[in-house]
């Protein structure tokens, strides 16, 4: 992707970039009141949803275009940048006509390639920063694909927002974070800024601070946090919004560590990690060669490759051994599932005479 940094005059470059504001713009008074308090505590970018994607009909579906004028007031009277969510070409048109500074695309929209293409077409040739939330389903390719559509339309000031992934049933988080997905996105597109949205991940006020800290420790570039002057009375997402004052405390408490430490100690530790990994590869290769010998035996004695009792025994024993060494049994099981899969693959080749 052809990416340009999102420089915003008047906004400091250091982490975290903070976007804050209510889930929804409800009334002019609520918008101005919240934004005034946020501006006073140093927040430079204000968010508010005007068109709200709600799970069920009949709830508050957003104030609509009327709210754009309130965002303009925030911009002109408080000097903040303003951002809102767009989901259709009509939203884009209305937001651009109202001089909104930046747009975000929600999780339900980024899950739909038709909608993403419609937005890309509507944004063709427009120079505006756009943030793309991850799709509701944990599909990194779909997330990247949506951003690529925008990028091909000429949007180069592009960023990603990690807002957690949909789940069914009771879980600690409203949308479990599955951090490995945004981290893989970072690995694949290092120049793409990534914000964390702890509000939609957590779904509960008390989870916001620890999620922000975790995002900072994982080198995220910024945070988009829902903040409302009267959270409990919010018309949408009441349980996850914090007051501007709570937000300002929370941001002050964050420990921001250096993302590019060059200390000698770190270099040494990384060298140790490289050595450990080399050892792991060496041992894996040794294990595979034993597995291939077993494959020869199975071939000669016409025994099937896969025996579920042996497989279960390996997984259970290794999980226990892993726990004794301070590793989660799930983690160790995953590793041995992968190792077993490769052993089976190699043994099947042997049984079929495709390798020796
Ligand atoms: C929002 O930011 O208010 C929102 C609707 O988020 P998401 O698309 O992540 O659910
Ligand atoms: Mn919300």
């Amino acid at each position: 992707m052809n990416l340009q940094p999102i420089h915003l005059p008047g906004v400091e470059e250091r982490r975290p970039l903070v976007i804050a504001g209510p889930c929804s713009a409800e009334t002019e008074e609520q918008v101005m009141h919240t934004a005034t308090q946020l501006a006073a505590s140093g927040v430079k970018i204000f968010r508010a949803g005007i068109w709200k994607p709600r799970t069920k009909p009949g709830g508050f579906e957003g104030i609509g275009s009327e709210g754009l004028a309130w965002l303009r007031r925030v911009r002109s009277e408080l000097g903040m940048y303003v951002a809102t969510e767009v989901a259709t070409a009509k939203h884009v048109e209305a937001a651009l006509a109202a001089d909104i500074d930046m747009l975000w695309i929600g999780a339900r929209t980024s899950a739909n390639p038709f909608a993403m293409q419609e937005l890309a077409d509507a944004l063709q040739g427009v120079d505006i920063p756009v943030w793309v939330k991850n799709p509701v389903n944990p599909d990194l390719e779909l997330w990247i694909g949506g951003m690529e559509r925008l990028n091909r339309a000429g949007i180069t000031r592009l960023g990603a927002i990690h807002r957690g992934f949909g789940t069914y049933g009771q879980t600690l988080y409203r949308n479990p974070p599955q951090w490995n997905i945004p981290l893989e996105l970072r690995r694949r597109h290092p120049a793409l800024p990534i914000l964390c949205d702890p509000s939609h991940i957590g779904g509960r006020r008390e989870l916001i601070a620890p999620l922000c800290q975790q995002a900072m420790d994982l080198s995220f570039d910024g945070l988009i946090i829902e903040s409302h002057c009267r959270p409990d009375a919010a018309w949408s997402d009441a349980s996850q919004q914090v007051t501007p004052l709570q937000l300002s405390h929370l941001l002050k408490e964050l420990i921001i560590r250096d993302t590019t430490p060059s200390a000698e100690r770190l270099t040494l530790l990384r060298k140790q990690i490289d050595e450990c990994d080399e050892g792991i590869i060496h041992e894996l290769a040794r294990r595979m060669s034993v597995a291939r010998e077993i494959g020869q035996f199975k071939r000669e004695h016409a025994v099937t490759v896969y025996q579920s009792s042996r497989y279960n025994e390996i997984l259970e024993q290794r999980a226990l051994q892993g726990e004794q060494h301070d590793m989660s049994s799930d983690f160790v099981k995953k590793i041995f599932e992968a190792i077993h899969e490769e052993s089976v693959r190699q043994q099947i080749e042997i049984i079929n005479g495709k390798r020796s």
Side-chain angles (χ1 to χ4, degrees):
M1 282 193 276
N2 169 21
L3 299 170
Q4 298 298 326
I6 305 182
H7 288 307
L8 300 165
V11 178
E12 278 185 73
E13 295 282 316
R14 66 184 160 87
R15 293 193 314 141
L17 176 75
V18 174
I19 302 179
C23 177
S24 304
E26 300 163 1
T27 65
E28 186 163 8
E29 184 270 339
Q30 167 251 8
V31 165
M32 292 312 294
H33 195 175
T34 306
T36 305
Q37 291 181 23
L38 288 170
S41 67
V43 174
K44 299 280 195 305
I45 313 171
F46 183 74
R47 65 149 280 160
I50 299 284
W51 299 285
K52 298 303 298 179
R54 305 309 298 281
T55 303
K56 290 192 175 160
F60 174 57
E61 307 220 299
I63 201 72
S65 306
E66 192 189 334
L68 291 170
W70 310 339
L71 293 183
R72 286 180 77 117
R73 263 194 79 192
V74 170
R75 194 169 186 266
S76 63
E77 292 178 26
L78 301 168
M80 295 173 98
Y81 290 95
V82 292
T84 200
E85 171 173 347
V86 290
T88 67
K90 276 211 169 106
H91 296 165
V92 170
E93 244 170 68
L96 294 177
D99 274 338
I100 297 298
D101 299 291
M102 58 181 83
L103 306 172
W104 84 81
I105 296 171
R108 290 154 196 81
T109 312
S110 66
N112 178 351
F114 290 125
M116 288 307 290
Q117 192 55 51
E118 176 185 324
L119 291 170
D121 294 343
L123 286 163
Q124 183 81 43
V126 178
D127 180 26
I128 189 170
V130 182
W131 299 96
V132 181
K133 290 198 169 197
N134 62 263
V136 186
N137 49 321
D139 185 339
L140 177 59
E141 300 309 323
L142 191 60
W143 192 4
I144 294 176
M147 290 188 277
E148 282 174 355
R149 288 177 196 275
L150 297 173
N151 197 230
R152 284 184 184 201
I155 299 291
T156 53
R157 290 188 294 156
L158 201 54
I161 298 175
H162 167 231
R163 51 79 76 197
F165 299 90
T167 179
Y168 185 68
Q170 282 297 105
T171 49
L172 168 64
Y173 300 105
R174 179 177 175 197
N175 293 288
Q178 304 201 38
W179 297 101
N180 56 315
I181 297 176
L183 292 180
E184 173 62 12
L185 176 63
R186 164 64 31 101
R187 193 185 67 76
R188 304 245 294 256
H189 294 282
L192 181 77
I194 310 182
L195 307 183
C196 176
D197 173 346
S199 312
H200 290 89
I201 294 176
R204 294 193 281 131
R205 239 158 262 159
E206 57 283 17
L207 292 176
I208 310 286
L211 282 165
C212 288
Q213 186 61 58
Q214 194 161 357
M216 287 300 99
D217 292 343
L218 291 172
S219 300
F220 278 62
D221 301 282
L223 302 164
I224 174 164
I225 306 177
E226 287 189 340
S227 178
H228 190 293
C229 54
R230 290 175 298 273
D232 287 325
W235 299 359
S236 60
D237 288 350
S239 56
Q240 70 192 34
Q241 303 204 55
V242 293
T243 63
L245 189 64
Q246 286 166 332
L247 179 85
S248 135
H249 284 318
L250 181 161
L251 293 174
K252 281 198 191 101
E253 293 293 310
L254 284 180
I255 300 164
I256 309 297
R257 299 180 171 89
D258 200 348
T259 51
T260 51
S262 58
E264 222 171 286
R265 168 129 183 90
L266 188 65
T267 313
L268 274 176
L269 289 170
R270 286 193 168 146
K271 213 164 171 315
Q272 281 180 37
I273 290 282
D274 289 344
E275 279 162 18
C276 290
D277 287 352
E278 214 182 300
I280 291 174
I281 297 274
H282 189 264
E283 281 306 301
L284 277 177
R286 203 162 70 84
R287 190 187 191 282
M288 285 302 157
S289 94
V290 177
R292 284 195 298 273
E293 262 186 62
I294 295 178
Q296 293 290 1
F297 178 90
K298 288 175 177 167
R299 179 189 160 103
E300 282 154 22
H301 295 80
V303 178
T304 59
V305 162
Y306 178 77
Q307 274 123 19
S308 65
S309 56
R310 171 66 179 149
Y311 181 43
N312 283 331
E313 179 192 311
I314 290 185
L315 286 188
E316 272 159 33
Q317 276 190 4
R318 302 302 177 266
L320 275 177
Q321 290 167 327
E323 274 180 352
Q324 284 163 4
H325 290 277
D326 247 359
M327 289 179 282
S328 89
S329 56
D330 274 355
F331 162 70
V332 177
K333 269 192 182 152
K334 259 191 228 154
I335 290 187
F336 278 91
E337 275 162 11
I339 293 176
H340 186 260
E341 195 180 316
E342 176 65 7
S343 294
V344 166
R345 193 187 66 76
Q346 296 202 10
Q347 290 188 355
I348 284 177
E349 284 185 356
I350 287 176
I351 282 205
N352 293 322
K354 290 200 179 127
R355 79 183 286 164
S356 54

